Amino acid sequence: MTSTPRPKQNRLLGIGLRLAAATSFAFMAALIKLGFEAGAHTVELVFYRFAFGLPPLLVWIVWSGSFDAWRTERPGAHLARAALGLATMTLAFSALGYLPLAEATTISFAAPLFAVMLSALVLGETVGVHRWSAVAAGLLGVLIVMQPGGEELPLVGLVIAVVAAFGIACVNITIRQIGKTDTPQTTVLWFTVTSMIVVGTLMPLYGQSHDWRTWAILAGVGTFGGLGQLFLTASLRFAPVPVIAPFDYTQLLWAVLLGWLLWGTRAPATTWAGAAVIVASGLYTVYREQKLGQDKARVAPPL
C-alpha cells in the first residue's frame, strides 16, 4: 500500500473538518427524507448515494496519494464488510422514512455505545465499570427518545433505527479489524464499488424516471454523503480523536434545525432529554478511552 507521511497536527483544522462532516451527514439525512417524499425508492436512494458519492471518494484517493487503494490481500473480509455495511445503510435510510429527522439521528448516535459492547464481546477488549455505566446510561437515553408509553412514534421505524445503530457498531468493529492490514481508502473503495454493483442489479426493478427536483435530491444525497466521508477521514489526519469526536454531535443540532425548517417539526422534551443522556455518555466514553490510552480512530457511519 502507498502511504503518505502524517501531516503536522492542526487541531483547529481538524475541528473544522469534523464540523463540515457532521453538517454534510445532516444534510444527507434531510435529503433522504425529501427523497422518500418525492417518491424515490430505498434502492434508488442507496444506489445514488454510492454513484454520486464516488467522485468525492476518488478525489480523496488522489489527494492522499493512495493510487493502489484497490489492492488488498483480504478480499473476503472486504466483501463481508460490504454486505454488512450495505444492509446497515439500507436500514438507516429506511428509518428516515418512518421517523422525524431529530429522533432518527439521535438514535443513530447510540452506535458508539453498541461498539463498546461489541469490543468486549467480540474483540475481547477490557471494558471497565465506568464505560459499562456509560453504555447503560446511553441505552437509557435511547429508551427516553423512543418514548415507551408516551407520544407514539412508528414502532417499525424505532426498531429499524435501533437495529441500524447496532449495525453501524458492527461495521465499525469490522473496519477496525480490516484496518490492521488495509488503509481507509481501500476499505471505502471496496465498499463503494461492491455495493454499487449489488444495488445496481436491482435498479432495473426499482429505478424510476424523476423530475429535475428529485434528481437534484438524489445527487445531493450522494454528494453530501461522499463529502462527509472525505471530511470525516481528513479530520483524523490533523487532530486526535478525543479532540474532534465531540463535534460529531453537532449533527443533532442540524437535525433539529432542518426538521423545523423543512417539516415544521419541533423535537419534544423527551428527544432533548434522551439526546442529552446519549451525548453525555458518548463524551464520557471518549474521555475514558483517552484517559486509559485506548482511543482509536473512529470510522464514519456507512451513510
Side-chain angles (χ1 to χ4, degrees):
M1 294 290 173
T2 301
S3 60
T4 55
R6 186 174 182 83
K8 183 178 179 181
Q9 294 285 281
N10 185 330
R11 296 193 173 197
L12 285 179
L13 178 57
I15 290 171
L17 289 167
R18 202 71 171 200
L19 289 171
T23 302
S24 297
F25 288 132
F27 275 82
M28 181 193 71
L31 286 169
I32 290 169
K33 283 191 69 66
L34 290 174
F36 279 123
E37 293 178 356
H41 193 276
T42 306
V43 169
E44 292 183 286
L45 288 165
V46 173
F47 177 79
Y48 291 116
R49 158 62 183 90
F50 291 115
F52 288 108
L54 187 59
L57 170 59
L58 296 178
V59 169
W60 173 32
I61 290 174
V62 172
W63 172 70
S64 63
S66 302
F67 299 107
D68 60 347
W70 58 275
R71 294 181 181 274
T72 180
E73 297 179 358
R74 305 179 63 188
H78 284 287
L79 292 176
R81 176 267 186 270
L84 180 59
L86 182 57
T88 297
M89 177 181 289
T90 302
L91 289 170
F93 279 29
S94 298
L96 288 164
Y98 288 100
L99 300 176
L101 189 60
E103 281 73 9
T105 302
T106 300
I107 293 175
S108 73
F109 274 97
L113 304 174
F114 286 129
V116 172
M117 297 170 58
L118 291 172
S119 67
L121 299 175
V122 177
L123 301 182
E125 296 182 354
T126 300
V127 177
V129 63
H130 293 279
R131 285 195 290 169
W132 278 123
S133 299
V135 169
L139 296 181
L140 175 61
V142 173
L143 287 176
I144 294 173
V145 175
M146 294 175 70
Q147 308 172 52
E151 179 183 343
E152 290 189 5
L153 290 172
L155 178 60
V156 62
L158 294 172
V159 172
I160 291 174
V162 172
V163 175
F166 183 78
I168 292 171
C170 293
V171 168
N172 286 343
I173 293 297
T174 303
I175 292 176
R176 284 174 60 183
Q177 294 174 314
I178 294 176
K180 295 177 181 179
T181 58
D182 289 354
T183 65
Q185 291 88 342
T186 298
T187 301
V188 177
L189 180 62
W190 270 76
F191 174 50
T192 299
V193 174
T194 301
S195 298
M196 277 187 63
I197 293 173
V198 172
V199 182
T201 62
L202 300 176
M203 284 298 287
L205 298 176
Y206 297 100
Q208 309 169 60
S209 59
H210 298 289
D211 58 24
W212 69 267
R213 178 179 176 275
T214 305
W215 280 116
I217 290 172
L218 294 171
V221 168
T223 301
F224 278 112
L227 288 175
Q229 180 73 60
L230 192 157
F231 292 142
L232 188 80
T233 306
S235 70
L236 294 169
R237 292 170 56 84
F238 294 101
V241 173
V243 171
I244 57 179
F247 294 93
D248 291 348
Y249 294 105
T250 58
Q251 185 177 340
L252 294 174
L253 301 178
W254 276 111
V256 172
L257 177 61
L258 291 172
W260 175 62
L261 291 175
L262 297 175
W263 293 279
T265 57
R266 296 179 180 273
T270 49
T271 297
W272 286 109
V277 174
I278 293 172
V279 170
S281 60
L283 293 179
Y284 185 71
T285 299
V286 172
Y287 163 75
R288 287 296 300 177
E289 290 184 349
Q290 178 191 25
K291 186 175 181 180
L292 297 173
Q294 297 175 344
D295 57 296
K296 297 181 180 180
R298 279 182 61 185
V299 181
L303 297 184

